[in-house]
Amino acid sequence: MRFLYPEFLYLMLIPAGVLIYLISTNRDALERIFEPKTLEKLRISGDGLGRTGHNVLIFIAFFFMTLALAQPVIEKGEERVKVSGTDIVIAIDLSLSMQARDFFPNRLAFAKQKIKEILPQLPAGRVAIVGFTSASFIVAPLTTDKDALNFLLNRLKSETITAKGTDLLAAIKGSIKLLKNSSSKTLLLVTDGGDVENIDPIVSLLKKESVRPIIWMVATQKGAPLPMEKFSKKSKDLVLSKANRRLKRVADECDGLYVEATISQRDEKKIEEYLKQLSNVSKTYEKVVNKRIQLFYYPLALALLILPFGIYSIGRGSQSALLLFFISLSYQKVDAGILDFQLIEDGKKTYKEGDYKRSVKAFEELSIHNPRSEVWFNLGNSYYKSGRYKMALNAYSKVVTKDLKIEKAKLYNMANCYVKLGELEKAALFYQKVLKLGNDEDAKANLALVLKALKEKKKQDKKSSYKGKNKEKNRNKSSSEASVSKENSSKPGALKNRVKKRELSQAEEKKWMQLIENQPLKSKLYPLTPPESKENVNPW
């Protein structure tokens, strides 16, 4: 056994000195006048421990607390873990052209949602996020913490950037700085392309630095007008922003991938498949990880057990026995809390790793002796991810909360479960319940899809009943086959892939993370590459 932070043990020298001083000098007025035997007879009800005993117990309690702070561990040896060498930088276009509304509600919001959906599926070793306009800014450095990336991505707004315009070279140069020490470099460029015409400098820079680009074009060929109220100089001219398909040549010449954004998940799947191919051929390296068993909760539990004896006066006989009994009960609760903590950690870890069976097992065990709403919610999420939608519905139904955000998240997840089960009427009912609690764009969009599918299904049912009457006459006609194919397209299974993939809400994060999420992003974005001074540069 060893201590991870042994420096905390030196802190015990201070209370040890104070204790010695108190024991040797601190005597009340009666102790100075009477002898100890005489004083004992004069006292009506004596304290079983006395002042010295209390001081000693407080010292022991603080000693165990300090041991807990020093984090005692048992070393289980080192383990070599193979890690993929593919690092990815996601460069997000924050220019004003990303406010165009050819994607709902606008290109930037749509792109952020897409990135959040694809983040858990990335096979990369580490991921970084860079925002860019005419300069590039660090949003998140290379990390494996997907929760932190989601947290920062949620707070990324174009209003925090003062630089205007679109400079793809600035985005690439900033990304290269983050990928400097990576063995395999991949750049996911999320942009509408701006109005870049000369792509030769971009191609030469990517080839020189051996960076594979993935161009995720978040714009349509038809385009959309820019909201002119966003510009500092008001203009009556209409500016139409379209997808800059010149960037396809960048991906082709640099052995990358060009994907145009869609409202379905086709674009996400293409990127996932491409990255999986890269991870298969990219270099892997071994990372040494120390395996440890944490023991800090044992001295912490002992400290909590001893501290009440040091603080409160304890009489002799039955009173002491009664206090010991209640403290032993509280100790059992502390021990249960420690086990709960371990189960929560196991459930959270396995959930992040995608091992939903083990995550379900951890949260099921936790729900037996600690059936709180948070536990049921996490259990429902694990059931959902493992495809057990009926079990997920049962778990979500046990979540009782006054928190409006969590209640909306619960109802939204239940609606998604009903979509997966093909019960579209119930799904529509729960989406409507979500909207009654407040505006939710995802729920609104999913409700529209569900209602449309139900309407189409009713039409197809009428057509099929009508055609059933003339079945013998039209048995060999090709029109019958066409109607069957149309009917299949309106079945619930077809809708499952069309419903927005915000399958699990952000409420599954830690409670303190939820509280932090309500705070605005106050930190500044510092440029990796300063904007170049160019004349006649469009502000979008």
Side-chain angles (χ1 to χ4, degrees):
M1 186 188 76
R2 76 180 188 90
F3 295 97
L4 294 180
Y5 305 103
E7 57 269 19
F8 282 105
L9 297 176
Y10 296 111
L11 294 176
M12 286 308 301
L13 295 175
I14 298 173
V18 173
L19 177 67
I20 294 171
Y21 173 78
L22 290 174
I23 291 174
S24 59
T25 62
N26 191 15
R27 300 170 63 192
D28 59 23
L30 291 175
E31 288 175 341
R32 293 191 183 103
I33 297 172
F34 297 100
E35 292 292 332
K37 291 182 179 179
T38 306
L39 186 62
E40 186 68 25
K41 292 178 181 180
L42 291 174
R43 282 177 175 156
I44 297 173
S45 58
D47 187 351
L49 293 174
R51 178 172 296 185
T52 301
H54 284 291
N55 291 336
V56 171
L57 286 179
I58 290 174
F59 173 79
I60 293 172
F62 277 104
F63 172 74
F64 282 120
M65 287 181 183
T66 307
L67 283 181
L69 284 173
Q71 286 198 27
V73 295
I74 296 176
E75 296 286 357
K76 298 290 287 184
E78 295 180 344
E79 183 180 5
R80 293 185 176 272
V81 180
K82 288 186 177 181
V83 181
S84 172
T86 304
D87 290 337
I88 296 178
V89 172
I90 302 175
I92 307 173
D93 190 346
L94 300 176
S95 63
L96 291 174
S97 62
M98 292 294 285
Q99 297 297 320
R101 298 187 179 95
D102 44 357
F103 286 103
F104 183 80
N106 57 55
R107 292 174 183 173
L108 180 58
F110 183 81
K112 286 167 61 178
Q113 182 61 35
K114 282 282 188 178
I115 293 169
K116 284 192 285 185
E117 290 174 2
I118 201 174
L119 265 178
Q121 311 302 327
L122 292 180
R126 295 176 298 172
V127 181
I129 298 178
V130 169
F132 72 93
T133 52
S134 57
S136 57
F137 304 83
I138 297 177
V139 178
L142 285 168
T143 179
T144 57
D145 191 345
K146 301 294 176 64
D147 290 336
L149 291 173
N150 269 314
F151 173 76
L152 294 168
L153 189 62
N154 285 334
R155 274 144 198 80
L156 183 60
K157 297 180 180 179
S158 57
E159 289 81 2
T160 59
I161 309 296
T162 56
K164 307 299 180 184
T166 304
D167 190 348
L168 298 180
L169 273 175
I172 295 169
K173 288 176 182 177
S175 302
I176 287 170
K177 287 184 179 181
L178 292 177
L179 293 168
K180 184 178 179 181
N181 299 320
S182 300
S183 58
S184 182
K185 307 171 184 178
T186 305
L187 170 63
L188 177 56
L189 190 61
V190 185
T191 180
D192 56 13
D195 52 5
V196 178
E197 295 182 0
N198 184 14
I199 64 169
D200 292 333
I202 297 174
V203 172
S204 60
L205 181 59
L206 290 171
K207 286 184 176 180
K208 179 183 177 182
E209 299 294 337
S210 300
V211 177
R212 290 176 181 263
I214 301 174
I215 312 296
W216 203 348
M217 183 58 62
V218 188
T220 61
Q221 189 60 30
K222 185 179 179 181
L226 300 184
M228 300 308 294
E229 65 271 11
K230 297 285 184 178
F231 300 109
S232 57
K233 294 181 181 180
K234 293 185 178 180
S235 173
K236 296 180 180 179
D237 297 332
L238 182 67
V239 179
L240 189 67
S241 175
K242 300 181 180 180
N244 189 349
R245 290 188 172 176
R246 296 184 186 91
L247 296 185
K248 188 177 186 303
R249 189 162 69 87
V250 175
D252 293 339
E253 294 190 15
C254 298
D255 197 19
L257 177 69
Y258 177 87
V259 178
E260 293 189 354
T262 63
I263 58 174
S264 65
Q265 283 93 47
R266 288 198 304 271
D267 51 343
E268 298 171 32
K269 289 179 180 178
K270 287 181 181 178
I271 294 173
E272 290 172 16
E273 290 173 3
Y274 178 78
L275 289 173
K276 285 179 181 178
Q277 291 175 1
L278 281 184
S279 63
N280 292 333
V281 299
S282 62
K283 295 179 180 179
T284 58
Y285 61 92
E286 288 188 345
K287 183 179 180 180
V288 178
V289 178
N290 293 319
K291 297 181 68 178
R292 300 183 179 120
I293 299 176
Q294 292 283 352
L295 303 174
F296 72 90
Y297 34 78
Y298 293 114
L300 183 60
L302 286 172
L304 295 175
L305 175 65
I306 295 170
L307 192 59
F309 288 96
I311 296 175
Y312 301 108
S313 297
I314 300 174
R316 296 183 178 89
S318 60
Q319 292 179 354
S320 299
L322 186 63
L323 184 60
L324 280 171
F325 172 73
F326 283 113
I327 290 177
S328 65
L329 290 178
S330 66
Y331 178 76
Q332 290 177 1
K333 292 181 179 179
V334 169
D335 186 54
I338 291 168
L339 294 175
D340 290 352
F341 173 78
Q342 188 63 43
L343 287 171
I344 291 170
E345 286 296 308
D346 291 343
K348 177 186 171 185
K349 182 181 177 182
T350 51
Y351 186 91
K352 286 183 178 180
E353 293 173 351
D355 191 351
Y356 302 120
K357 289 184 178 180
R358 288 178 59 192
S359 177
V360 164
K361 186 178 179 181
F363 286 122
E364 279 180 340
E365 187 176 347
L366 188 61
S367 66
I368 293 172
H369 55 84
N370 194 358
R372 295 179 300 163
S373 292
E374 295 88 345
V375 175
W376 289 118
F377 194 93
N378 288 328
L379 179 58
N381 291 342
S382 300
Y383 279 140
Y384 185 97
K385 286 289 190 179
S386 59
R388 298 157 71 180
Y389 304 116
K390 289 185 178 179
M391 299 291 287
L393 283 170
N394 183 48
Y396 287 136
S397 64
K398 296 179 182 179
V399 176
V400 179
T401 178
K402 294 181 180 179
D403 191 319
L404 184 63
K405 185 177 178 181
I406 297 177
E407 182 66 17
K408 284 178 67 177
K410 177 193 79 172
L411 295 172
Y412 183 93
N413 293 350
M414 292 179 75
N416 285 351
C417 287
Y418 282 120
V419 170
K420 294 289 187 180
L421 293 170
E423 300 180 31
L424 302 185
E425 292 84 357
K426 291 183 179 179
L429 178 63
F430 275 84
Y431 283 134
Q432 289 168 349
K433 288 182 179 180
V434 173
L435 295 173
K436 286 180 181 179
L437 296 178
N439 186 42
D440 190 296
E441 297 298 337
D442 289 344
K444 192 183 295 183
N446 288 356
L447 177 60
L449 285 172
V450 170
L451 293 176
K452 184 179 178 182
L454 287 170
K455 188 176 180 181
E456 290 176 357
K457 189 174 184 297
K458 287 180 180 178
K459 288 181 180 180
Q460 296 299 330
D461 289 341
K462 288 181 180 179
K463 287 182 180 179
S464 60
S465 62
Y466 174 76
K467 289 178 181 179
K469 296 177 182 179
N470 302 317
K471 187 176 180 181
E472 294 181 0
K473 296 180 180 180
N474 302 318
R475 183 177 298 174
N476 299 321
K477 290 186 179 181
S478 59
S479 61
S480 176
E481 297 178 1
S483 67
V484 172
S485 64
K486 288 180 181 178
E487 185 176 358
N488 289 336
S489 67
S490 64
K491 285 184 179 178
L495 180 69
K496 293 176 187 177
N497 297 323
R498 294 170 59 196
V499 169
K500 281 195 173 183
K501 199 182 175 182
R502 196 195 81 186
E503 291 184 337
L504 294 178
S505 66
Q506 295 298 325
E508 65 186 273
E509 297 179 12
K510 297 177 182 177
K511 189 172 183 179
W512 54 86
M513 285 295 289
Q514 294 174 354
L515 295 174
I516 293 172
E517 282 184 352
N518 296 326
Q519 303 299 322
L521 182 64
K522 296 181 180 179
S523 58
K524 295 180 180 179
L525 295 177
Y526 295 96
L528 281 165
T529 56
E532 297 181 6
S533 57
K534 296 180 181 179
E535 296 181 357
N536 301 324
V537 175
N538 291 325
W540 52 86

